[in-house]
Amino acid sequence: MIYTVTFNPAIDYVVRLGNPLKPGAVNRAAGEDCVLGGKGINVSGVLAQLGVESVALGFIAGETGAWLERGLTAQGLHTDFIWLENGMTRINVKIKAGQETELNGAGPNIPESAMQTLETKLDALQKDDVLILAGSIPACLPQSTYERLLARLQGRGVRAVVDATQDLLLKVLPYKPFLIKPNNHELSEIVRHELTTDDEIVAAAAGLQAQGARNVLVSMAGDGALLLDENGAVHRIGCPKGKVVNSVGAGDSMVAGFVAGYLRTGDYRYALRLGTACGSATAFSVGLATKEKINELLETI
């Protein structure tokens, strides 16, 4: 089974304006949407489109949390959230008016007792289960939270996937995650110099592999992606043609496709192809990738 963890889920309230945003004045929306998300939840959503079951874990609170849980269940996702007594699941306001303005909520405080409940749930994971940890850690939790969870699972054969940045990513490498997915800019920040060629990216990825990562998947937006697999093979793939509509969730979609592809075939080349198709399908769509769009792009890669 695949388990995703979203520490700080959100309801994104997306407002579209027909004119530029005017601060200090009344702005009337031309349209609006509510999107239920968070990086781990995005991964679970795309896995569902691929026909792969997962369990979405995380923390929710208040009426907004209840709304988010109902909405995800209606989408066919399996959830096992931990309810918090205080606060509310955050609402992020995203104003699209030529350029995008965001106001992101803080989210509820996560007490130690809730973390212990999460650990108890993770204790049920079995050998070859997949645990996907994606995104930043809320300010109410220490930055060592990912390390804490992976240390608890160490030696049990659980395949960890980590999509995080800088120190948050580097500190989990000793626990030998199955997959890490920095983008090329994040990888440049880690090695502290700009990476401009494939050879430089491979060398930087090999450095992370030497520290413990089994597979390093580097996404490069319109330039495709590069995978250094655990056997030392380098796989390079381009990006299918299409108009980028929304890049939010594209990286999460790539993770979902890669994991699903590998579990389906055990073939890293196919995993990279499916991951690229999923990431591109989301980038070319208003929302997350759909099964139809994924299959359409997969045939072109």
Side-chain angles (χ1 to χ4, degrees), residues 50 217 225 227 235-240 253-254 256-262 264-265 267-281 294-301:
L50 294 169
L217 173 59
L227 170 69
H235 308 270
R236 184 69 166 90
I237 195 167
C239 188
S253 303
M254 172 172 271
F258 184 93
V259 170
Y262 180 78
R264 185 178 295 168
T265 65
D267 182 351
Y268 285 124
R269 291 182 62 189
Y270 177 76
L272 180 59
R273 284 183 61 225
L274 185 56
T276 300
C278 290
S280 298
I294 293 167
N295 289 337
E296 173 192 328
L297 293 179
L298 187 61
E299 292 180 359
T300 71
I301 298 175

Side-chain angles (χ1 to χ4, degrees), residues 93 105 135 140 148 182 190 225 235 246 255 274:
V93 180
C140 62
R148 169 180 172 175
I190 288 172
H235 308 270
N246 175 30
V255 168
L274 185 56

